[in-house]
mmCIF file of all heavy atoms in Angstrom:
data_model
loop_
_atom_site.group_PDB
_atom_site.id
_atom_site.type_symbol
_atom_site.label_atom_id
_atom_site.label_comp_id
_atom_site.label_asym_id
_atom_site.label_seq_id
_atom_site.Cartn_x
_atom_site.Cartn_y
_atom_site.Cartn_z
ATOM 1 N N ALA A 264 -72.352 -52.145 -259.205
ATOM 2 C CA ALA A 264 -73.209 -52.981 -260.074
ATOM 3 C C ALA A 264 -73.042 -54.444 -259.722
ATOM 4 O O ALA A 264 -72.549 -55.233 -260.548
ATOM 5 C CB ALA A 264 -72.907 -52.686 -261.529
ATOM 6 N N SER A 265 -73.366 -54.809 -258.482
ATOM 7 C CA SER A 265 -73.151 -56.150 -258.054
ATOM 8 C C SER A 265 -74.035 -56.487 -256.858
ATOM 9 O O SER A 265 -74.883 -55.673 -256.448
ATOM 10 C CB SER A 265 -71.668 -56.410 -257.743
ATOM 11 O OG SER A 265 -71.338 -55.924 -256.451
ATOM 12 N N PHE A 283 -79.209 -51.601 -262.702
ATOM 13 C CA PHE A 283 -79.109 -52.169 -264.033
ATOM 14 C C PHE A 283 -80.183 -51.622 -264.999
ATOM 15 O O PHE A 283 -80.726 -52.335 -265.804
ATOM 16 C CB PHE A 283 -79.168 -53.702 -263.940
ATOM 17 C CG PHE A 283 -77.916 -54.285 -263.388
ATOM 18 C CD1 PHE A 283 -77.750 -54.432 -261.985
ATOM 19 C CD2 PHE A 283 -76.899 -54.718 -264.186
ATOM 20 C CE1 PHE A 283 -76.625 -55.005 -261.449
ATOM 21 C CE2 PHE A 283 -75.730 -55.257 -263.653
ATOM 22 C CZ PHE A 283 -75.596 -55.401 -262.293
ATOM 23 N N HIS A 352 -67.400 -57.709 -273.732
ATOM 24 C CA HIS A 352 -67.830 -58.964 -273.102
ATOM 25 C C HIS A 352 -66.677 -59.481 -272.242
ATOM 26 O O HIS A 352 -65.513 -59.186 -272.522
ATOM 27 C CB HIS A 352 -68.127 -59.980 -274.180
ATOM 28 C CG HIS A 352 -68.984 -61.136 -273.772
ATOM 29 N ND1 HIS A 352 -68.516 -62.142 -272.972
ATOM 30 C CD2 HIS A 352 -70.276 -61.475 -274.019
ATOM 31 C CE1 HIS A 352 -69.464 -63.016 -272.736
ATOM 32 N NE2 HIS A 352 -70.538 -62.657 -273.359
ATOM 33 N N GLN A 353 -67.005 -60.255 -271.204
ATOM 34 C CA GLN A 353 -65.932 -60.870 -270.432
ATOM 35 C C GLN A 353 -65.161 -61.788 -271.347
ATOM 36 O O GLN A 353 -65.727 -62.517 -272.141
ATOM 37 C CB GLN A 353 -66.518 -61.641 -269.259
ATOM 38 C CG GLN A 353 -65.620 -61.769 -268.068
ATOM 39 C CD GLN A 353 -65.329 -60.460 -267.382
ATOM 40 O OE1 GLN A 353 -66.247 -59.622 -267.252
ATOM 41 N NE2 GLN A 353 -64.096 -60.210 -267.009
ATOM 42 N N VAL A 356 -65.753 -66.939 -270.012
ATOM 43 C CA VAL A 356 -66.870 -67.148 -269.101
ATOM 44 C C VAL A 356 -66.965 -68.649 -268.781
ATOM 45 O O VAL A 356 -67.414 -69.440 -269.608
ATOM 46 C CB VAL A 356 -68.198 -66.680 -269.678
ATOM 47 C CG1 VAL A 356 -69.379 -67.018 -268.730
ATOM 48 C CG2 VAL A 356 -68.137 -65.176 -269.995
ATOM 49 N N ARG A 623 -66.144 -57.302 -258.326
ATOM 50 C CA ARG A 623 -67.251 -58.252 -258.173
ATOM 51 C C ARG A 623 -68.082 -58.449 -259.457
ATOM 52 O O ARG A 623 -68.455 -59.586 -259.761
ATOM 53 C CB ARG A 623 -68.148 -57.774 -257.049
ATOM 54 C CG ARG A 623 -69.269 -58.747 -256.663
ATOM 55 C CD ARG A 623 -68.737 -60.079 -256.184
ATOM 56 N NE ARG A 623 -69.809 -60.931 -255.677
ATOM 57 C CZ ARG A 623 -69.644 -62.175 -255.203
ATOM 58 N NH1 ARG A 623 -68.411 -62.686 -255.168
ATOM 59 N NH2 ARG A 623 -70.656 -62.862 -254.726
ATOM 60 N N LEU A 624 -68.422 -57.395 -260.124
ATOM 61 C CA LEU A 624 -69.208 -57.536 -261.360
ATOM 62 C C LEU A 624 -68.499 -58.455 -262.380
ATOM 63 O O LEU A 624 -69.144 -59.335 -262.990
ATOM 64 C CB LEU A 624 -69.416 -56.140 -262.002
ATOM 65 C CG LEU A 624 -70.071 -56.158 -263.409
ATOM 66 C CD1 LEU A 624 -71.488 -56.783 -263.336
ATOM 67 C CD2 LEU A 624 -70.180 -54.741 -263.984
ATOM 68 N N LEU A 627 -68.680 -62.109 -261.192
ATOM 69 C CA LEU A 627 -69.994 -62.676 -261.433
ATOM 70 C C LEU A 627 -70.200 -63.004 -262.928
ATOM 71 O O LEU A 627 -70.838 -63.996 -263.257
ATOM 72 C CB LEU A 627 -71.071 -61.750 -260.918
ATOM 73 C CG LEU A 627 -71.151 -61.551 -259.412
ATOM 74 C CD1 LEU A 627 -72.189 -60.453 -259.111
ATOM 75 C CD2 LEU A 627 -71.493 -62.813 -258.699
ATOM 76 N N ARG A 628 -69.616 -62.158 -263.793
ATOM 77 C CA ARG A 628 -69.746 -62.444 -265.223
ATOM 78 C C ARG A 628 -68.919 -63.609 -265.614
ATOM 79 O O ARG A 628 -69.368 -64.461 -266.356
ATOM 80 C CB ARG A 628 -69.329 -61.195 -266.013
ATOM 81 C CG ARG A 628 -70.271 -60.028 -265.841
ATOM 82 C CD ARG A 628 -70.138 -58.903 -266.896
ATOM 83 N NE ARG A 628 -68.816 -58.765 -267.479
ATOM 84 C CZ ARG A 628 -68.517 -57.729 -268.281
ATOM 85 N NH1 ARG A 628 -69.401 -56.775 -268.532
ATOM 86 N NH2 ARG A 628 -67.327 -57.585 -268.755
ATOM 87 N N ARG A 629 -67.679 -63.671 -265.139
ATOM 88 C CA ARG A 629 -66.780 -64.741 -265.661
ATOM 89 C C ARG A 629 -67.126 -66.110 -265.052
ATOM 90 O O ARG A 629 -67.007 -67.117 -265.694
ATOM 91 C CB ARG A 629 -65.303 -64.392 -265.391
ATOM 92 C CG ARG A 629 -64.859 -64.313 -263.965
ATOM 93 C CD ARG A 629 -63.480 -63.692 -263.841
ATOM 94 N NE ARG A 629 -63.032 -63.594 -262.471
ATOM 95 C CZ ARG A 629 -62.348 -64.530 -261.816
ATOM 96 N NH1 ARG A 629 -62.059 -65.685 -262.411
ATOM 97 N NH2 ARG A 629 -61.991 -64.364 -260.581
ATOM 98 N N ASN A 631 -70.268 -66.772 -264.094
ATOM 99 C CA ASN A 631 -71.665 -67.023 -264.609
ATOM 100 C C ASN A 631 -72.492 -67.831 -263.621
ATOM 101 O O ASN A 631 -73.288 -68.659 -263.986
ATOM 102 C CB ASN A 631 -71.631 -67.736 -265.951
ATOM 103 C CG ASN A 631 -72.935 -67.478 -266.740
ATOM 104 O OD1 ASN A 631 -73.579 -66.467 -266.589
ATOM 105 N ND2 ASN A 631 -73.305 -68.465 -267.558
ATOM 106 N N ILE A 632 -72.307 -67.512 -262.319
ATOM 107 C CA ILE A 632 -73.111 -68.204 -261.295
ATOM 108 C C ILE A 632 -74.337 -67.378 -260.988
ATOM 109 O O ILE A 632 -74.353 -66.157 -261.158
ATOM 110 C CB ILE A 632 -72.262 -68.405 -260.016
ATOM 111 C CG1 ILE A 632 -71.693 -67.094 -259.527
ATOM 112 C CG2 ILE A 632 -71.145 -69.449 -260.269
ATOM 113 C CD1 ILE A 632 -70.933 -67.191 -258.209
ATOM 114 N N CYS A 634 -76.959 -65.150 -259.232
ATOM 115 C CA CYS A 634 -76.769 -64.116 -258.208
ATOM 116 C C CYS A 634 -78.027 -63.300 -258.120
ATOM 117 O O CYS A 634 -78.917 -63.299 -259.016
ATOM 118 C CB CYS A 634 -75.545 -63.262 -258.528
ATOM 119 S SG CYS A 634 -75.699 -62.350 -260.074
ATOM 120 N N LEU A 636 -79.400 -59.177 -257.410
ATOM 121 C CA LEU A 636 -78.945 -57.831 -257.605
ATOM 122 C C LEU A 636 -79.979 -56.838 -257.182
ATOM 123 O O LEU A 636 -81.156 -57.172 -256.964
ATOM 124 C CB LEU A 636 -78.586 -57.619 -259.085
ATOM 125 C CG LEU A 636 -77.607 -58.640 -259.715
ATOM 126 C CD1 LEU A 636 -77.684 -58.543 -261.260
ATOM 127 C CD2 LEU A 636 -76.212 -58.351 -259.213
ATOM 128 N N ALA A 651 -80.180 -64.204 -261.223
ATOM 129 C CA ALA A 651 -79.694 -63.768 -262.514
ATOM 130 C C ALA A 651 -78.328 -64.371 -262.807
ATOM 131 O O ALA A 651 -77.544 -64.674 -261.877
ATOM 132 C CB ALA A 651 -79.562 -62.240 -262.537
ATOM 133 N N THR A 652 -78.009 -64.575 -264.069
ATOM 134 C CA THR A 652 -76.653 -64.900 -264.497
ATOM 135 C C THR A 652 -76.121 -63.771 -265.392
ATOM 136 O O THR A 652 -76.925 -63.291 -266.244
ATOM 137 C CB THR A 652 -76.578 -66.296 -265.173
ATOM 138 O OG1 THR A 652 -77.498 -66.280 -266.263
ATOM 139 C CG2 THR A 652 -76.884 -67.369 -264.234
ATOM 140 N N LEU A 653 -74.891 -63.426 -265.218
ATOM 141 C CA LEU A 653 -74.369 -62.225 -265.892
ATOM 142 C C LEU A 653 -73.340 -62.542 -266.979
ATOM 143 O O LEU A 653 -72.675 -61.631 -267.478
ATOM 144 C CB LEU A 653 -73.742 -61.294 -264.844
ATOM 145 C CG LEU A 653 -74.624 -60.907 -263.667
ATOM 146 C CD1 LEU A 653 -73.957 -59.870 -262.831
ATOM 147 C CD2 LEU A 653 -75.974 -60.415 -264.115
ATOM 148 N N GLY A 654 -73.190 -63.816 -267.337
ATOM 149 C CA GLY A 654 -72.133 -64.172 -268.316
ATOM 150 C C GLY A 654 -72.207 -63.457 -269.624
ATOM 151 O O GLY A 654 -71.188 -63.338 -270.285
ATOM 152 N N ASN A 655 -73.375 -63.027 -270.052
ATOM 153 C CA ASN A 655 -73.518 -62.310 -271.316
ATOM 154 C C ASN A 655 -73.772 -60.830 -271.181
ATOM 155 O O ASN A 655 -74.017 -60.173 -272.200
ATOM 156 C CB ASN A 655 -74.633 -62.938 -272.150
ATOM 157 C CG ASN A 655 -74.210 -64.323 -272.715
ATOM 158 O OD1 ASN A 655 -73.082 -64.475 -273.214
ATOM 159 N ND2 ASN A 655 -75.096 -65.277 -272.609
ATOM 160 N N VAL A 656 -73.687 -60.299 -269.943
ATOM 161 C CA VAL A 656 -73.950 -58.873 -269.756
ATOM 162 C C VAL A 656 -72.831 -58.069 -270.401
ATOM 163 O O VAL A 656 -71.637 -58.316 -270.149
ATOM 164 C CB VAL A 656 -74.045 -58.533 -268.282
ATOM 165 C CG1 VAL A 656 -74.004 -56.999 -268.022
ATOM 166 C CG2 VAL A 656 -75.338 -59.115 -267.736
ATOM 167 N N VAL A 657 -73.132 -57.115 -271.212
ATOM 168 C CA VAL A 657 -72.219 -56.184 -271.848
ATOM 169 C C VAL A 657 -72.704 -54.785 -271.709
ATOM 170 O O VAL A 657 -73.846 -54.483 -272.065
ATOM 171 C CB VAL A 657 -71.997 -56.543 -273.370
ATOM 172 C CG1 VAL A 657 -70.944 -55.604 -273.963
ATOM 173 C CG2 VAL A 657 -71.613 -57.976 -273.548
ATOM 174 N N THR A 680 -79.011 -57.542 -272.803
ATOM 175 C CA THR A 680 -78.225 -58.306 -271.880
ATOM 176 C C THR A 680 -78.393 -57.905 -270.442
ATOM 177 O O THR A 680 -77.882 -58.538 -269.545
ATOM 178 C CB THR A 680 -76.713 -58.328 -272.257
ATOM 179 O OG1 THR A 680 -76.136 -57.063 -271.953
ATOM 180 C CG2 THR A 680 -76.535 -58.652 -273.755
ATOM 181 N N PRO A 682 -79.636 -57.668 -266.864
ATOM 182 C CA PRO A 682 -80.479 -58.575 -266.004
ATOM 183 C C PRO A 682 -81.799 -57.926 -265.658
ATOM 184 O O PRO A 682 -81.852 -56.723 -265.351
ATOM 185 C CB PRO A 682 -79.547 -58.870 -264.798
ATOM 186 C CG PRO A 682 -78.673 -57.644 -264.743
ATOM 187 C CD PRO A 682 -78.405 -57.223 -266.165
#
Side-chain angles (χ1 to χ4, degrees):
S265 79
F283 287 87
H352 199 288
Q353 208 66 40
V356 177
R623 186 62 173 179
L624 172 61
L627 294 173
R628 292 195 333 187
R629 66 191 179 89
N631 203 30
I632 55 177
C634 62
L636 305 163
T652 54
L653 307 186
N655 286 316
V656 167
V657 182
T680 71

